[in-house]
Amino acid sequence: MKNTIKKIAVMTSGGDAPGMNAAIRAVVRTCAFYQIECVGVYRGYQGLIEGDFITLDARKVSNTINRGGTILKSARSKDFRTKEGRAKAYENLLKESIDAMILIGGDGTFTGGMVFNEEYNFPCIGIPGTIDNDIYGTNFTIGYDTALNTAVEVIDKIRDTASSHNRLFFVEVMGRDAGFIALNAGVGSGAEEILIPEEDLGLDRLLESLKRSKRSGKSSSIVVVAEGDKIGKSVFELANYVEENLPQYEVRVSVLGHMQRGGSPSCFDRVLASRLGVKAVELILDGKTNLMVGIINDKIKTTNLEKAVKGKHSINKELLRVSDIMSI
């Protein structure tokens, strides 16, 4: 490994995700293992512009692997989208004698790192941290497994009420542009229908499916809806449409919202974050840059940041087929 790197910065940016702290911990302790200094950047790119840094060592990240959220905070930064903002960030990095950055976040985070690398040739490595699981170059992103299990647990509870009152529940889960949580949580919780942005089910087919469920003897139903689904303007409008056209159903809506972001990370997310954090530091020490580290078929792989941002992480078509069969 090369010894030109003496100090590495780590930040979390964009939406928080369970397991981000485990990733920070892994980066800090890997730096300590290789006798490299580590600096935390508060509030992502905005903190980079404002010089909001903290020195981190192995003891400062004790008891963080089990904590949700991010100890380094997160924020959106309009200033970093400007050349002036990025120039200030670069100035602060030089002032602190920081040699490279590790960025934990999603496509917006990686886009910022990619632009920064192009302008200043500053070494950047990305770690995918987003509950949406919509990053190309990895089977799983940090936080997805925890969010998925949170959604399934809550839907299970909602089904208790649905079956007790013979109700139809529309349950909206996160997924603005991707239906990974909705599809897997829907299959895992036995939902009668799953609505995702990638597949336009259509109102007519939804109504027919619900009629079929009623005819088959089902007294209650669960429809899991990704927030980015295109059938209705909102899940509430969708629920109203169904209630008007199928008056035999008593319809309710439950929006899970930000509860899916919170909570202690699952074992899977803790292990994934640890593996990716170690590899991110080692890539920098090997002189690599402008890469994202991910996991494919349980092997750690790297992907160019641009490809990670622009590539398409496809929905599992086989799981869609399974969902159709299970909803009979």
Side-chain angles (χ1 to χ4, degrees), residues 295-309:
I295 186 166
I296 298 177
N297 299 327
D298 203 36
K299 301 291 184 184
I300 302 299
K301 302 287 185 180
T302 59
T303 303
N304 180 272
L305 280 182
E306 183 176 11
K307 195 170 183 179
V309 170

Side-chain angles (χ1 to χ4, degrees), residues 96-113:
E96 291 292 322
S97 300
I98 294 169
D99 302 307
M101 285 196 298
I102 292 176
L103 317 169
I104 306 170
D107 55 2
T109 302
F110 297 160
T111 299

Side-chain angles (χ1 to χ4, degrees), residues 10-12 19-30 38 40 56 61 64 69-73 104 127 142 273-274 277:
V10 60
M11 71 162 72
T12 51
M20 280 185 163
N21 285 326
I24 295 167
R25 173 182 178 270
V27 169
V28 173
R29 292 196 168 183
T30 306
C38 189
L56 296 173
V61 291
T64 59
T70 163
I71 59 172
L72 290 178
K73 313 297 182 184
I104 306 170
I127 296 177
I142 296 168
S274 299

Side-chain angles (χ1 to χ4, degrees), residues 173-185:
V173 299
M174 282 187 162
R176 186 185 61 225
D177 300 310
F180 293 99
I181 292 177
L183 178 56
N184 284 271

Side-chain angles (χ1 to χ4, degrees), residues 2-19:
K2 299 184 179 181
N3 295 317
T4 55
I5 301 293
K6 302 296 182 185
K7 186 184 287 189
I8 294 174
V10 60
M11 71 162 72
T12 51
S13 177
D16 63 294

Side-chain angles (χ1 to χ4, degrees), residues 65-82:
I65 194 171
N66 61 320
R67 289 174 59 182
T70 163
I71 59 172
L72 290 178
K73 313 297 182 184
S74 188
R76 314 284 180 181
S77 178
K78 291 182 179 179
D79 294 337
F80 195 77
R81 296 180 181 181
T82 67

Side-chain angles (χ1 to χ4, degrees), residues 77-93:
S77 178
K78 291 182 179 179
D79 294 337
F80 195 77
R81 296 180 181 181
T82 67
K83 285 192 173 183
E84 295 77 12
R86 293 191 295 273
K88 180 64 176 175
Y90 182 64
E91 181 183 316
N92 287 332
L93 288 168

